[in-house]
């Protein structure tokens, strides 16, 4: 759904990518820094219920992580390993967000939201796994209403608005359950797409 924004975002961050490449920063360094920053921010802030501040830090590092592609293009250092590293690090950062939310809900005795967080964690990983496995088998799987960008926006906006100074208590719960539904639909969409392609090859 946010694929249409990739081109303008790419143009906006291109100057920063060139500057980092000229300074000798590698795209892998950007990827690892963004992942560590987002993961540590989630671990430090979310288990304490500091949702607004934590969301600001996580979002900042997630946005910084997006610069790795611009650095690779500017320095001519794109590699298949870099693509695998980037995808793997995305899974780490995503897991940190949902796991620390689950940690908070477990401590607050909120089993429904604990379950929602764990479902988001599992379904998000499954969504990415289906795409990777499908592409490895030679299929195209660029479908789904809740890809990584959408998932992060939903959970971070919902969580951030729950914290100070907004304190909107139901937004986070709504966001998590909407994300559970959207992720479930995405899993079904991707499996259906691969099944259709498989049937077409057998015909």
């Amino acid at each position: 759904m946010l694929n249409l924004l990739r081109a303008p975002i790419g143009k906006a961050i291109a100057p920063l990518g060139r500057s980092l490449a000229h300074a000798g920063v590698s795209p892998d360094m950007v990827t690892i820094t963004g992942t560590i920053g987002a993961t540590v921010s989630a671990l430090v802030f979310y288990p304490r219920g500091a949702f607004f501040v934590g969301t600001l830090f996580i979002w900042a590092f997630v946005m910084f992580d997006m610069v790795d592609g611009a650095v690779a293009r500017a320095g001519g250092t794109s590699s298949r390993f870099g693509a695998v590293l980037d995808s793997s690090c995305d899974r780490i950062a995503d897991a940190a967000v949902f796991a620390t939310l689950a940690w908070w809900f477990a401590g607050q005795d909120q089993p429904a939201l604990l379950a929602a967080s764990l479902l988001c964690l599992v379904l998000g990983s499954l969504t990415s796994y289906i795409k990777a496995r499908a592409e490895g088998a030679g299929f195209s799987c660029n479908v789904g209403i809740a890809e990584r960008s959408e998932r992060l926006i939903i959970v971070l906006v919902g969580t951030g608005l729950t914290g100070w100074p907004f304190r909107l208590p139901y937004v986070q719960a709504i966001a998590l359950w909407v994300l559970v539904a959207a992720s479930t639909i995405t899993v079904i969409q991707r499996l259906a797409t691969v099944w259709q392609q498989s049937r077409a090859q057998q015909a």
Side-chain angles (χ1 to χ4, degrees):
M1 294 172 65
L2 295 177
N3 287 339
L4 295 176
L5 297 178
R6 288 185 179 178
I9 290 175
K11 291 182 180 179
I13 64 177
L16 176 58
R18 288 192 294 270
S19 298
L20 292 173
H22 292 159
V25 177
S26 72
D28 292 348
M29 292 170 59
V30 175
T31 298
I32 293 171
T33 300
T35 301
I36 292 175
T39 300
V40 171
S41 297
L43 288 169
V44 169
F45 293 106
Y46 279 4
R48 297 164 49 201
F51 292 138
F52 180 69
V53 175
T55 295
L56 290 180
F57 274 92
I58 293 169
W59 186 255
F61 282 109
V62 167
M63 295 301 294
F64 179 72
D65 183 41
M66 293 177 62
V67 181
D68 57 1
V71 174
R73 288 188 293 273
T77 55
S78 298
S79 68
R80 286 184 291 179
F81 171 75
V84 173
L85 178 66
D86 183 56
S87 181
S88 300
C89 286
D90 286 349
R91 304 290 78 74
I92 294 172
D94 294 354
V97 170
F98 290 109
T100 51
L101 286 176
W103 184 355
W104 165 258
F105 294 131
Q108 298 299 307
D109 193 24
Q110 299 185 56
L113 293 181
L114 169 61
S117 299
L118 294 176
L119 284 171
C120 287
L121 174 59
V122 172
L123 290 168
S125 298
L126 183 57
T127 297
S128 300
Y129 174 79
I130 293 171
K131 180 177 180 179
R133 189 68 183 88
E135 291 178 346
F139 299 112
S140 174
C141 198
N142 292 317
V143 297
I145 62 172
E147 297 188 81
R148 185 182 187 242
S149 298
E150 288 84 358
R151 294 197 301 271
L152 280 177
I153 288 173
I154 291 172
V155 68
L156 292 180
V157 170
T159 298
L161 291 177
T162 300
W164 178 91
F166 301 101
R167 299 191 185 281
L168 303 176
Y170 301 106
V171 176
Q172 187 178 46
I174 293 171
L176 286 171
W177 286 113
V178 165
L179 189 51
V180 169
S183 298
T184 301
I185 293 171
T186 300
V187 167
I188 295 171
Q189 287 176 308
R190 292 192 168 182
L191 287 174
T193 297
V194 175
W195 178 77
Q196 290 171 350
Q197 293 176 62
S198 177
R199 289 291 300 270
Q201 287 184 357
Q202 294 173 2

